[in-house]
Amino acid sequence: VNDYLDQVEAQLTRLTEEGAHRRLRARAGAAIAGGGGGPRPPRRRAEFLAFGSALAVVVAVVAIVLINVHSSPSPRPVSASGPASVHTTTTAPSITSSSTSGTVTSPKAAVPGQIGIPIPAHSYPVSFTAISELTWWVLTPAPCTFVGEKAPCGEILRTVDGGRNFIGIQAPHATLTGYPSAPTSGYAQIRFADMQDGFAYGPSLYATHDGGSAWHPVDVGGTVSDLAISAGEAYAVVGTSSGTKLMHSPVGSDDWTALPAAGDVSEGLWVHGSDVLVQSGIAGTESGIGNDLMISHDGGASFTSYPSPSPGLGCEFAETDPAVIWAHCATGMESGVWLSTDGGQSFGSEGGPGSLPNSALFAAASDTVAVVGYQQLYRTADGGATYTPVGPADVTSWSYLGFTDATHGIALGFVGGTAQSDEQLYYTTDGGLTYHLVPLP
Amino acid sequence: MVVLSENRRQWSDRALLEAIAARDGAAFAVFYRRHLPAVLAFLVRETRDRETAADLAAEVFAAVLLAASRYREQGESATPWVIGIARNKLLMSFRRGRVEARARRRLGFESVALQDSDLDRIQEMADAGAGRLTALVERLPEDERHAVRSRVLDERPYVEIASELRCSELVVRKRVSRGLARMREHLKETGSP
């Protein structure tokens, strides 16, 4: 009797002989989704496949909101989510440290005036979202407290003072999905648009409109692999049996509708203001990655397609200015960084610090500053011309990078192992140059 | 069980991947068996869960099939490439909260049930892969051993290794290349490609 490994071998061997992989390549080459299109320069040779791309990584982990409106006449669009109407102070974050490995003061009890639920012992971050440099939400595993819940469950920690104090708030009464499980329901990520409206997703979608006191499931007709928020709208990449589509809803309601102009999309979702960026998908497939970068300047009503810097391979994008778009894309065994200064119509040549794995993380702080890396972070301050190593030495690998503005950012890093419980939250206040450990309760 | 061609067992990884891209099923079987122990060793070590490791291994080799035509030889065995795919699949699974199955879905791969009786063989193969790899690495000269371990097993970037060793990336690449070539030669000598 053939065992599992033999059956896998036999089936893949048969698929090889049937040419299943060749048919897919042909489809990928033919698929061009939506949009008006622009002049297409000769495409560079695809070097590798996109499954292991870092595309889903950063955008899928966090939605960070651009605030700091007052400090710049034109708010810098670096966030993956966030209503432009939210204003915050520019008070320096409470996190202080004298070194890259320093820590903030120990978390105290809940902020006066706010009522929270008990915070679980030994919290560690599995998802993070922010609407300003001071107001964050951190998702952490927690004991199940409601009848019918299937472990593991989650709880959300909220801070409004940059990590000095946290309160606990309810998470959806559903399973906190996490590796190595293969869930059909539950959630793994959180996003908040403001103090009232938030979402939990992956693969199911849940919403709260009262700051987390009550959550309810939302049926969007498929599984949600990515979600980002901007200008009062939530955008989600929804996989269905017929493909993957982009949907949106006002953050304060659950009125989800498809954005058909985006066509089949994959996972490279980035939003800011009314700009929506997403990578095209392969028609008829749930998660195939296409050749184009789709850009909308009207909240997703219409899209223009431009050649992705690494066609057919997964990219993540960051628009730091309407004209400036960073891209971090898989290239093969490795990945690279590209920069467009004409709104995505064209990208410069591949750059980066060299020898980046596909799964490297990337986050742009400004038109010239970005951080990329996996086990070692590298920072550029000159638009990608040069990179220098940054980050605490005790972090063995990173699982998230994101900036709320040109100077403030968050990173999740593994210390001492790669289990979820080894994840630590780091904060940067100097554009990714140094990182300070933020202890959770 | 696929019947292997003896001839193909002598082929290089590059030759096998070219043949796989050209729909040579026997070449895939050889490649699968050559790299499965190392992939399982890596995944079992990282997940500490044999079922998950087996599930991910199937996804890794589905990805290999899809990517075969785009393999870019770097003068060494395809081991780092395959382990790189495995690491990516592992991380994607971690971040997405479920075991990656994208490549299998794209190929139309039908789900294969994992039985309790499979777990022992998976563990044995992982142990063999880990043991064989470790033994081979340990036999390398110190400079090559460190380079191979850092690059192949830990998948650290060349630039990082070079910085640690205070040498150029080119030197590290050469050490990795020489180390892997030495390991392959030894595998051939012992008849276990």
Side-chain angles (χ1 to χ4, degrees):
Chain A
V1 178
N2 286 346
D3 70 8
Y4 175 87
L5 297 173
D6 290 337
Q7 290 182 57
V8 169
E9 175 187 340
Q11 190 173 164
L12 288 172
T13 298
R14 177 177 57 77
L15 288 167
T16 303
E17 292 168 346
E18 291 174 353
H21 52 312
R22 294 164 65 96
R23 289 197 300 273
L24 283 167
R25 284 210 314 279
R27 286 167 59 188
I32 299 176
R40 291 175 178 270
R43 287 180 174 165
R44 55 188 291 280
R45 182 175 61 86
E47 297 169 354
F48 187 63
L49 81 168
F51 327 104
S53 78
L55 167 65
V57 175
V58 170
V59 181
V61 176
V62 174
I64 292 183
V65 179
L66 171 68
I67 301 295
N68 286 340
V69 177
H70 78 288
S71 61
S72 168
S74 175
R76 189 183 53 71
V78 299
S79 164
S81 68
S85 60
V86 176
H87 293 259
T88 61
T89 69
T90 55
T91 305
S94 58
I95 294 173
T96 56
S97 174
S98 58
S99 72
T100 57
S101 59
T103 63
V104 300
T105 55
S106 297
K108 301 172 184 174
V111 175
Q114 293 182 313
I115 300 173
I117 62 175
I119 293 175
H122 310 301
S123 302
Y124 54 89
V126 296
S127 180
F128 171 92
T129 184
I131 60 170
S132 74
E133 65 196 50
L134 299 178
T135 303
W136 320 332
W137 290 259
V138 180
L139 177 63
T140 181
C144 298
T145 55
F146 285 81
V147 175
E149 287 183 333
K150 185 180 178 182
C153 295
E155 183 173 323
I156 297 169
L157 309 180
R158 187 181 70 201
T159 177
V160 294
D161 54 11
R164 182 181 296 273
N165 302 282
F166 286 92
I167 65 167
I169 62 176
Q170 295 285 355
H173 297 160
T175 300
L176 174 61
T177 61
Y179 171 81
S181 63
T184 55
S185 64
Y187 66 99
Q189 306 291 333
I190 55 170
R191 303 284 186 273
F192 272 84
D194 50 46
M195 297 298 282
Q196 301 298 319
D197 301 307
F199 303 90
Y201 70 93
S204 304
L205 178 63
Y206 305 85
T208 179
H209 301 299
D210 58 8
S213 295
W215 292 82
H216 56 272
V218 180
D219 184 5
V220 289
T223 57
V224 177
S225 60
D226 203 354
L227 189 147
I229 300 168
S230 179
E233 288 286 320
Y235 299 83
V237 176
V238 180
T240 69
S241 57
S242 59
T244 304
K245 59 186 176 182
L246 185 63
M247 300 184 73
H248 75 141
S249 170
V251 297
S253 64
D254 301 312
D255 183 21
W256 288 89
T257 56
L259 290 167
D264 287 276
V265 302
S266 51
E267 300 158 337
L269 178 61
W270 177 271
V271 296
H272 179 264
S274 58
D275 288 357
V276 181
L277 281 68
V278 68
Q279 193 165 9
S280 65
I282 297 176
T285 67
E286 184 177 344
S287 54
I289 295 174
N291 295 329
D292 296 301
L293 164 61
M294 313 292 294
I295 299 180
S296 170
H297 299 294
D298 54 13
S302 63
F303 282 85
T304 300
S305 67
Y306 300 107
S308 173
S310 192
L313 302 175
C315 294
E316 53 190 327
F317 301 102
E319 185 193 70
T320 54
D321 178 276
V324 178
I325 297 174
W326 292 84
H328 171 238
C329 305
T331 64
M333 275 184 64
E334 299 176 348
S335 61
V337 178
W338 285 260
L339 186 64
S340 170
T341 56
D342 57 10
Q345 295 182 54
S346 63
F347 284 84
S349 56
E350 178 185 348
S355 297
L356 289 171
N358 276 338
S359 49
L361 305 171
F362 175 83
S366 70
D367 295 355
T368 55
V369 176
V371 178
V372 65
Y374 166 56
Q375 291 171 314
Q376 172 67 57
L377 295 181
Y378 298 89
R379 179 178 184 266
T380 178
D382 53 14
T386 59
Y387 288 82
T388 54
V390 294
D394 56 346
V395 174
T396 55
S397 63
W398 297 87
S399 61
Y400 169 72
L401 288 174
F403 286 96
T404 56
D405 57 38
T407 56
H408 300 94
I410 284 289
L412 300 182
F414 290 96
V415 177
T418 55
Q420 280 195 330
S421 56
D422 296 320
E423 271 192 297
Q424 302 277 3
L425 181 65
Y426 289 86
Y427 195 54
T428 176
T429 59
D430 54 12
L433 196 58
T434 60
Y435 297 80
H436 317 290
L437 180 65
V438 181
L440 295 181
Chain B
M1 175 80 69
V2 177
V3 177
L4 300 184
S5 160
E6 286 299 320
N7 183 40
R8 286 181 179 79
R9 292 180 64 176
Q10 307 304 319
W11 288 7
S12 68
D13 285 339
R14 178 183 179 180
L16 287 173
L17 287 165
E18 287 176 351
I20 291 167
R23 302 174 56 169
D24 184 335
F28 179 86
V30 171
F31 189 90
Y32 177 85
R33 295 184 191 185
R34 182 179 294 177
H35 293 281
L36 181 62
V39 169
L40 281 175
F42 171 77
L43 292 172
V44 168
R45 186 188 73 187
E46 293 294 319
T47 65
R48 301 183 181 92
D49 184 290
R50 291 172 295 178
E51 293 183 40
T52 304
D55 199 5
L56 274 170
E59 175 69 7
V60 168
F61 284 97
V64 164
L65 173 54
L66 284 168
S69 66
R70 287 172 285 194
Y71 172 66
R72 183 177 57 185
E73 188 179 34
Q74 297 185 325
E76 54 194 41
S77 108
T79 298
W81 181 71
V82 178
I83 296 297
I85 292 174
R87 180 176 289 277
N88 288 336
K89 292 294 184 185
L90 184 68
L91 288 168
M92 290 292 285
S93 300
F94 179 84
R95 290 163 181 155
R96 294 167 65 90
R98 59 181 183 270
V99 173
E100 268 289 282
R102 198 181 321 191
R104 283 173 286 178
R105 282 201 302 271
R106 293 184 70 192
L107 285 169
F109 185 93
E110 296 170 6
S111 177
V112 178
L114 186 67
Q115 309 296 328
D116 289 345
S117 57
D118 294 323
L119 298 179
D120 287 343
R121 185 187 174 202
I122 290 165
Q123 186 64 59
E124 289 168 4
M125 193 165 287
D127 290 343
R132 189 170 64 180
L133 205 57
T134 301
L136 286 170
V137 171
E138 290 305 316
R139 295 181 61 151
L140 295 174
E142 184 176 355
D143 58 343
E144 293 175 12
R145 180 169 68 241
H146 183 81
V148 169
R149 185 181 287 147
S150 299
R151 177 59 185 163
V152 180
L153 298 184
D154 299 335
E155 211 203 9
R156 296 170 58 192
Y158 281 114
V159 65
E160 182 182 310
I161 304 168
S163 174
E164 176 194 331
L165 299 178
R166 299 177 184 279
C167 62
S168 71
E169 283 186 52
L170 183 61
V171 169
V172 178
R173 287 177 186 274
K174 285 182 175 176
R175 289 177 183 175
V176 171
S177 178
R178 282 199 302 265
L180 290 172
R182 204 185 301 272
M183 290 168 66
R184 284 184 56 78
E185 283 305 308
H186 189 74
L187 285 170
K188 286 179 182 176
E189 291 169 8
T190 56
S192 50

